[in-house]
Amino acid sequence: MENEKISVLFADNSEQMRAACTRLMREPGLELHQVEKNGRTVLQAIQQQRPDVVIMDLFMPQTDALGVLNGVLHSGMEPKPHFMVMSSFDNSNLERE
């Protein structure tokens, strides 16, 4: 198992962030499956590609990160991927929620 790569699906609606992630994921031990730009295609890609890790923006068009998480939790998919949700949105009220 030492030589197995960690498969990653990255999702952000910013073209600049997607390009940066694509460059960063060219590391040994990582395999970038797909780069998505909206939540609906993220959920479809998770179900088809079965990545180990999903890194995504909190605010995405069509379905946000919480909708994607909810879809995966209720899909019965096993094993479920690990999620990292991020945002460049700055709002202290949102942090409390």
Side-chain angles (χ1 to χ4, degrees):
M1 276 217 210
E2 285 182 26
N3 294 330
E4 284 189 35
K5 292 185 175 188
I6 298 170
S7 60
V8 179
L9 186 144
F10 182 80
D12 197 297
N13 58 324
S14 161
E15 185 175 332
Q16 189 175 26
M17 286 297 292
R18 290 192 311 271
C21 175
T22 300
R23 285 190 304 274
L24 289 172
M25 291 293 138
R26 291 186 185 141
E27 292 291 322
L30 295 179
E31 177 184 11
L32 185 61
H33 268 290
Q34 282 182 256
V35 180
E36 297 293 336
K37 59 185 177 181
N38 72 64
R40 186 171 4 115
T41 60
V42 170
L43 191 52
Q44 292 168 350
I46 290 170
Q47 293 168 341
Q48 292 171 356
Q49 301 293 324
R50 305 288 182 155
D52 299 313
V53 177
V54 177
I55 303 171
M56 67 182 301
D57 189 5
L58 176 59
F59 300 107
M60 300 279 293
Q62 298 179 11
T63 302
D64 65 11
L66 298 177
V68 171
L69 286 166
N70 191 38
V72 170
L73 287 173
H74 291 96
S75 71
M77 179 191 332
E78 291 295 337
K80 292 177 177 46
H82 297 276
F83 281 86
M84 183 171 91
V85 178
M86 60 185 180
S87 180
S88 61
F89 187 73
D90 185 21
N91 185 332
S92 56
N93 289 330
L94 181 62
E95 290 173 11
R96 288 193 260 298
E97 290 179 26

